[in-house]
Amino acid sequence: MMGAGPDLKEEIITRGYECRTGEVVVTPGFALRCRHIIHTVSPKYVAKYHTAAETSLQNCYKNVLYKAGELGARSLALCIINSPRRNFPPDVAAHIALRTIRRYLEQNAQPRLVIASGACAAGAALLAALAPLYFPRAPHEADAARWRLAPDPAPDRRIRIIHNPHSQNSDSAEDDTSLCDEDAAVEAAAAFARACSPDTQRLLAPASRPAPYIDRRLLDDHEQYDRLLRRAKNEDLSEVSGIGCLYQSGVDRLGRPVVVFIGKWFPIGDIDLDKALLYLIKLLDPIVRGDYVIAYFHTLASSANHPPFSWLKEVYTVLPYKYKKNLKAFYIVHPTFWTKMMTWWFTTFMAPAIKAKVHNLPGVEYLYSVMARDQLEVPAFITEYDMTINGLHYFQPDTNNT
């Protein structure tokens, strides 16, 4: 970016731009012969967390391409985003770049693309060698692509666990029928895949403002819960399930189901809290018949993700005793000072029955003392943030005391 001149540095300092890994920021081109410069941050590659790194790199390319389309660019000079300092294997990075570009061009208008070498000439040579596999210009190149390119093990890098589609505690034929509804499962999976996209807010923007929240405090608690459970089974809750903020992720070392809640993916201003409560009941009702634990990730959550206390109090009140009794632990990962204070206040004055079950954890790996690594499925941005603040292998669980 040296060719843009000192105005670019002044623009960044003046406006206070902040760009996280995988995100993009647009600035004017200044002295360069372009209208805009699209900035992004490449992830670091760690073999143990290779899936998160590959997903972040794919998001870098995808966000740059989509941002260029939003700007109406007719041509785009796309440099190699990863660098040797980020420890990315050159062949893996090259396949990710070409595969992402190919998918984008298949689904969108095709601007003129020029891939520049930047500071990595070896990477540009590798791209040139692999390009005929993704963009064959002759029959023999197309044949070579068929047997040399393995299928992507994770199409679109979707998170695998999206819901609790199978429950061993189902007691009614009605539950079994609804769980075996293939069309509903496909629709839910597609909705959750959209939620995993970096364009979540744009894709899930509601067509109209949510309906006003219904106050049900005048109803009998038991009757109220039965009514809500019937509504949860019959109403269309894809608007909430598609966000992907609440799902079951395996079991802990004692065989208890683990329910995961992603705070950053809970948009208070764009969600119907009435339907959010219905989806919570629909997901948890078959789980809470036995012991269970909850893992809440406050990672990168803001004030726009904090539900009102009135709603939290109503949720705690309307849920039956089995929810509190069978809840064995409530883990809060990456809490802030505000989160700790509000949690203390809420559990002291509103929910004292679960106060002793709440545990604040500074990192994801502290959960490995109570559950195996392969049982925990969380979005890539959580593990990336965890590595930036805690580093690698900062906690070794003692499995003998669990």
Side-chain angles (χ1 to χ4, degrees), residues 24 76 91 178 193 220 251 300 305 334 376:
V24 295
L76 173 66
D91 56 335
S178 61
D220 176 75
V251 296
L300 300 178
N305 308 118
H334 299 147
L376 181 63

Side-chain angles (χ1 to χ4, degrees), residues 42 57 61 78-94 97 115-129:
S42 171
L57 183 61
Y61 283 103
L78 185 62
C79 66
I80 297 176
I81 295 178
N82 62 289
S83 64
R85 292 183 301 174
R86 297 288 181 171
N87 298 323
F88 239 102
D91 56 335
V92 175
I115 301 180
S117 62
C120 184
L126 185 58
L127 286 175

